[in-house]
Amino acid sequence: MEEMEVEKEEAQNSKSDFQTQLEESLKNFDAPQSGQMVEGVVVQVTNDYVYVDIGDKSEGLIPVAEFADEELPKEGDRVQAMLTGHNSNGPVLSKKRADSKRYLKEIQQAYKDKTPVDGKIVKVVKSGYEVDLGVERLAFLPTSQASVDKVEKPEDLIGVKSKFYIERLYSESHLNPVVTRRKYLEEAINEKRDAFFASTSIGDTVKGTVKSFTSFGAFIDLGGFDGLLHINDMSWGHVARPKDFVKKGQEIELKVIRLDQEEKRINLSLKHFTEDPWVHFEEKYHVNDVVKGKVTKLTEFGAFVELEKGIEGLVHISEFSWTKKVNKPGDMVNVGDEVEAMILGYDIQAGRVSLGLKQTQANPWETIADKYPVGTKVHGKIVKITNIGAFMALEDGIDAFLHADDISWTKKVKHPGSELTVDKEIDAVVIECDPEARKIKVGIKQLTDNPWKAFAEEYKAGSTVEGEITSITDFGVFVKAPNGIEGLVNKANLSEDKDVPYEEAVAKYKPGDKINVYVVDVNTEKEKVAFSVREYKRKQQRDEISQYMDSGNNDDGAYTLGDMIKSQQND
């Protein structure tokens, strides 16, 4: 009996051990394995660890360092983590590895669905940037895809948080994401622009910030997309520089004057806040009216004069003076000057007015022919010397031109500076007056009689004259006659013997020598005379022969014509 009870108790104990072992085995079978994702409740947070109840006998530990400051959980919060192993304190968990595994699935899905992901630009690298997509996942962002605008300083984008599209996920079977921010920004801009077109009408007033300048205006940021403030829409008057009206970064109100949704163009205006002054222009102004205005701007080609707010006219540099050659408008007027001008013409559609300053004064050239007729003797000062002549001031703004050829009848003036100096006062004679061309010519030599006429009367072609050698050149010898007229003995006419080289013939002469020459030709119009030594010698021979023939035959027959010719040949 006792043995049966013992056996029964042993059987019950054996059954109890088996059940316990089975329950332990089942429990171990259900326990999470390393690499498995788990979720639990935070039961305690210390300086080093976050303790999480994951349903096991002991809490799992997550290092505090795996949480960002703003992500550190509180007791009772639920967190997801990955079981990475066990130590003496219990299961070891990793939030980073859980986040990484989960995020990898998310970016794979985002790439597949073409949806944007969050990221932060963290570093400038060659040809672009590194972007942190979270949990130490870095992506490459090409420079061209970093912004819709040109980035002046790449470092300015460091730390920028934004949305990014994944353009490429893998490279050679390795996870190597390439992202674009530009595409996301362009979509956002298009959404904002579409909303603007849907809610805005022409004539509406909008606010914007001056973003950048071009030669034709300024671009205005209307909240992520741009509108154009054209230079012609800044003021009803003339605008030379956009920066004179708006400043970069300035917030301003503008009128919408054009909307083109198809071309995505928005035109804005400052001047449309006021009435167009050109509407009433013809009621106030007419061609040939003399008006007053203020000089607002000087350019190389003229000066702008404001007639009233929004209406400016241009005085071209050619309309400053009847008599003066104006090189710079600043030589005549300054910004801020009050001036009188005449309206020469206008174009209301183009918003232009042509003005003239000289037209408010009498034109001296209209009476210049009466004041300075040809033959008038004048006195004036040399104001400028050029290579071919000099300018002589007759009166304020009226200069006459003195050509080098009109300085002397007899002297060949190569450069006027050899005879004249600036500020030298001289007498001259008006030899040409052309009011239409605004040209007056004077001469100094015309103060005296033309010696060429006297020379031509005294020394006609065929006569001889004794002169003085003034210069010797490669092409001949210059000889001055007693009355100062200078002529040329061409090198071919220097020796009576054609076979004698010019170099040998000219070696007999030097400047200052007296020489007898034959007058070959006199041209008073061109003021040229040609001399010849050869013809002079021939003329001597002819004269001697003629004298002999006129004297009759010699009775003794001691000396004949043949003897004379033979004697000359021997000489």
Side-chain angles (χ1 to χ4, degrees):
M1 187 72 175
E2 289 181 359
E3 291 179 357
M4 293 179 61
E5 288 180 358
V6 171
E7 290 178 358
K8 182 178 180 182
E9 184 177 353
E10 289 179 352
Q12 287 178 345
N13 290 337
S14 177
K15 179 181 180 182
S16 176
D17 291 341
F18 174 76
Q19 186 175 358
T20 301
Q21 291 177 0
L22 178 62
E23 289 176 356
E24 284 292 329
S25 297
L26 290 173
K27 187 174 181 180
N28 291 333
F29 181 78
D30 292 336
Q33 306 298 311
S34 292
Q36 185 175 338
M37 300 286 287
V38 296
E39 183 174 339
V41 179
V42 176
V43 296
Q44 185 183 2
V45 179
T46 68
N47 290 335
D48 298 321
Y49 294 101
V50 174
Y51 292 84
V52 182
D53 181 3
I54 58 173
D56 205 351
K57 290 182 178 180
S58 58
E59 293 86 6
L61 288 77
I62 303 176
V64 168
E66 292 197 6
F67 293 90
D69 291 340
E70 65 273 11
E71 295 177 347
L72 192 63
K74 301 184 295 294
E75 290 183 15
D77 289 348
R78 299 190 70 84
V79 296
Q80 287 186 334
M82 177 184 286
L83 179 65
T84 59
H86 292 77
N87 61 22
S88 58
N89 294 323
V92 178
L93 306 177
S94 173
K95 178 180 179 298
K96 277 192 174 182
R97 292 183 63 179
D99 289 345
S100 179
K101 185 174 182 180
R102 184 180 68 255
Y103 197 72
L104 178 57
K105 291 181 179 180
E106 290 179 0
I107 63 173
Q108 287 174 332
Q109 193 63 42
Y111 175 67
K112 180 180 179 181
D113 297 340
K114 293 182 172 50
T115 57
V117 296
D118 291 313
K120 179 180 178 181
I121 299 175
V122 294
K123 185 179 180 181
V124 177
V125 295
K126 184 179 180 181
S127 302
Y129 302 84
E130 280 186 355
V131 176
D132 184 1
L133 298 180
V135 294
E136 300 179 354
R137 296 285 183 181
L138 295 177
F140 175 66
L141 172 65
T143 300
S144 62
Q145 299 300 312
S147 178
V148 291
D149 300 315
K150 183 179 179 181
V151 180
E152 299 293 340
K153 297 180 180 179
E155 296 79 10
D156 291 346
L157 292 183
I158 299 299
V160 170
K161 294 180 179 180
S162 178
K163 296 280 189 181
F164 301 85
Y165 278 104
I166 302 172
E167 295 285 280
R168 189 188 72 193
L169 198 54
Y170 291 94
S171 175
E172 297 180 355
S173 301
H174 295 288
L175 185 64
N176 188 18
V178 176
V179 296
T180 172
R181 178 171 174 255
R182 181 188 184 96
K183 181 179 178 181
Y184 172 77
L185 294 177
E186 287 176 342
E187 287 182 355
I189 288 172
N190 288 335
E191 288 179 6
K192 291 180 180 180
R193 186 188 288 112
D194 290 343
F196 181 88
F197 276 105
S199 61
T200 308
S201 302
I202 291 177
D204 285 355
T205 299
V206 296
K207 286 185 178 181
T209 303
V210 180
K211 180 179 177 182
S212 60
F213 292 98
T214 69
S215 59
F216 53 83
F219 286 104
I220 310 298
D221 184 354
L222 297 174
F225 56 95
D226 295 342
L228 174 64
L229 173 59
H230 196 277
I231 192 170
N232 294 334
D233 295 316
M234 291 183 174
S235 170
W236 293 112
H238 174 78
V239 180
R241 295 196 321 156
K243 293 182 181 180
D244 293 337
F245 283 80
V246 293
K247 306 299 180 185
K248 188 174 182 179
Q250 178 185 0
E251 187 177 22
I252 54 176
E253 287 190 342
L254 305 109
K255 286 280 187 181
V256 178
I257 58 173
R258 183 189 175 201
L259 292 170
D260 187 339
Q261 190 164 6
E262 185 175 342
E263 295 293 330
K264 297 182 180 180
R265 291 180 180 175
I266 302 168
N267 284 74
L268 307 167
S269 173
L270 280 175
K271 71 182 185 181
H272 282 84
F273 282 107
T274 58
E275 184 183 26
D276 183 357
W278 291 91
V279 172
H280 306 290
F281 180 86
E282 290 185 315
E283 298 174 9
K284 301 178 182 180
Y285 306 103
H286 309 88
V287 173
N288 295 330
D289 282 356
V290 176
V291 294
K292 290 183 178 181
K294 180 184 291 186
V295 178
T296 57
K297 189 174 182 63
L298 301 179
T299 69
E300 293 181 358
F301 53 84
F304 287 94
V305 177
E306 184 181 62
L307 305 184
E308 63 177 78
K309 194 68 176 178
I311 296 182
E312 286 185 337
L314 172 65
V315 182
H316 192 269
I317 196 169
S318 62
E319 304 297 342
F320 275 82
S321 173
W322 291 113
T323 57
K324 294 180 180 179
K325 182 180 179 181
V326 181
N327 295 316
K328 295 189 302 181
D331 293 338
M332 301 292 289
V333 295
N334 297 308
V335 173
D337 286 353
E338 295 281 348
V339 297
E340 281 192 346
M342 179 179 286
I343 296 177
L344 307 180
Y346 59 84
D347 184 340
I348 292 178
Q349 295 299 320
R352 295 175 182 169
V353 183
S354 297
L355 303 173
L357 293 180
K358 67 184 183 183
Q359 286 79 4
T360 61
Q361 302 173 353
N363 182 0
W365 288 100
E366 292 179 353
T367 58
I368 205 77
D370 297 330
K371 195 171 183 179
Y372 299 105
V374 173
T376 303
K377 184 178 179 180
V378 294
H379 181 82
K381 184 185 293 185
I382 299 298
V383 293
K384 184 178 180 181
I385 295 177
T386 70
N387 290 331
I388 60 171
F391 287 92
M392 169 187 179
L394 299 181
E395 58 183 71
D396 186 26
I398 303 291
D399 294 342
F401 182 64
L402 170 63
H403 197 280
D405 291 343
D406 293 314
I407 293 177
S408 173
W409 288 114
T410 58
K411 189 175 182 180
K412 196 69 176 177
V413 179
K414 295 182 178 180
H415 193 284
S418 64
E419 305 295 320
L420 303 169
T421 58
V422 173
D423 292 333
K424 181 179 181 179
E425 294 189 6
I426 62 170
D427 290 324
V429 173
V430 177
I431 58 176
E432 182 182 342
C433 185
D434 188 345
E436 292 186 6
R438 297 184 181 180
K439 181 171 65 176
I440 298 177
K441 290 183 68 177
V442 296
I444 294 177
K445 69 183 184 182
Q446 287 80 1
L447 290 169
T448 59
D449 292 336
N450 186 351
W452 285 91
K453 291 183 179 179
F455 182 88
E457 292 175 359
E458 184 176 355
Y459 300 102
K460 299 183 183 303
S463 61
T464 61
V465 61
E466 183 184 42
E468 180 182 325
I469 295 176
T470 57
S471 62
I472 298 173
T473 70
D474 293 338
F475 52 85
V477 175
F478 282 96
V479 177
K480 182 169 66 174
N483 65 347
I485 296 297
E486 192 174 66
L488 174 67
V489 179
N490 189 282
K491 68 178 184 179
N493 296 319
L494 187 61
S495 174
E496 60 180 313
D497 187 350
K498 291 183 178 181
D499 295 330
V500 176
Y502 172 68
E503 290 76 10
E504 181 181 334
V506 79
K508 300 177 183 179
Y509 303 101
K510 63 181 183 298
D513 286 355
K514 297 294 183 178
I515 187 171
N516 291 307
V517 293
Y518 178 89
V519 179
V520 178
D521 180 58
V522 180
N523 190 327
T524 56
E525 291 184 2
K526 294 183 178 181
E527 297 181 357
K528 289 184 178 181
V529 59
F531 293 140
S532 174
V533 174
R534 173 184 293 173
E535 292 300 325
Y536 177 79
K537 296 289 186 180
R538 289 181 177 178
K539 185 176 185 307
Q540 275 188 318
Q541 293 174 3
R542 291 194 298 270
D543 289 345
E544 289 180 4
I545 293 173
S546 176
Q547 184 178 2
Y548 172 81
M549 297 297 294
D550 290 343
S551 64
N553 292 327
N554 190 323
D555 294 339
D556 295 337
Y559 188 75
T560 66
L561 176 62
D563 293 332
M564 181 187 72
I565 295 174
K566 185 177 181 180
S567 175
Q568 290 177 344
Q569 288 176 342
N570 291 332
D571 293 340

